[in-house]
Amino acid sequence: MNELLGTESNVAKRWRAEAARPTAEFKLRLRLAAMAGHMSHDGVAARRAALIDLLADGRPHTREDIQERVAADVGAACWGKRPQEALLRDVAALRRGGIGIAYSRRAGLEGFYLNYPAMEDRQPWAGNQVADEWLIQVRAHDSAAKNEVVFAAAEFARRQKHLIVAGDHPDWPEEQIDREARRLVYGV
């Protein structure tokens, strides 16, 4: 990483320059400066920031293109021994953070891209009319029907967690993935 050589990565320099712009909101400038400082010491944060900067151009980028351009920005060793796994972990972490990253398989447009809007404005639960109607219907059910809905939702959550854990840990055996998914959803 560049910081190991005593120099700041390009992405940290860009974010620090953005933080110094007087036209930006004060809180945003503070946040950018804090992140730029963090990137100077944390290669994973710098790599993810460089990935965000790259995808912000709105075009799909192949895995190879991303790895090459981020390495040029952050440092040649930024991807570690398993670059493909590091990229998938970064994409998953950014998605969990609310950044809409999608993957295109269309010929000529293959690769990762920002699925706009990149940061979703989520309505609060009370302001979501579809959710309110669903909640009214569930409240009208008897206890047995409510339990059925709850167990179906829990099973759906377990299956989704299973897919996420399997993607994050492709080397784990199926039994370990299932155990971790159950732990994350049910707490046991």
Side-chain angles (χ1 to χ4, degrees), residues 4-120:
L4 297 176
L5 302 174
T7 61
E8 189 174 47
S9 67
N10 293 335
V11 68
K13 288 177 184 175
R14 279 197 312 273
W15 283 47
R16 192 176 311 286
E18 285 290 317
R21 284 188 27 227
T23 56
E25 179 188 341
F26 179 69
K27 272 187 158 180
L28 175 62
R29 290 173 40 208
L30 285 175
R31 290 174 181 152
L32 288 171
M35 279 305 301
H38 184 62
M39 284 183 249
S40 296
H41 302 288
D42 185 345
V44 174
R47 188 178 68 216
R48 290 176 180 169
L51 177 58
I52 291 168
D53 284 355
L54 176 61
L55 296 179
D57 69 5
R59 295 187 344 254
H61 294 274
T62 63
R63 176 181 44 84
E64 295 82 9
D65 181 42
I66 290 171
Q67 290 171 342
E68 180 182 311
R69 293 175 65 179
V70 169
D73 209 10
V74 178
C78 73
W79 293 106
K81 293 180 181 177
R82 295 185 173 146
Q84 293 177 356
E85 290 177 21
L87 176 59
L88 292 177
R89 280 193 308 273
D90 289 352
V91 168
L94 293 171
R95 284 175 176 160
R96 283 190 303 270
I99 297 176
I101 298 176
Y103 188 84
S104 170
R105 289 180 173 76
R106 286 181 45 195
L109 294 174
E110 299 92 357
F112 293 95
Y113 65 97
L114 284 183
N115 190 14
Y116 288 101
M119 298 296 284
E120 297 178 3

Side-chain angles (χ1 to χ4, degrees), residues 115-136:
N115 190 14
Y116 288 101
M119 298 296 284
E120 297 178 3
D121 290 332
R122 293 187 175 102
Q123 291 183 344
W125 180 264
N128 188 333
Q129 184 176 358
V130 173
D132 289 344
E133 291 172 11
W134 179 81
L135 192 57
I136 290 167

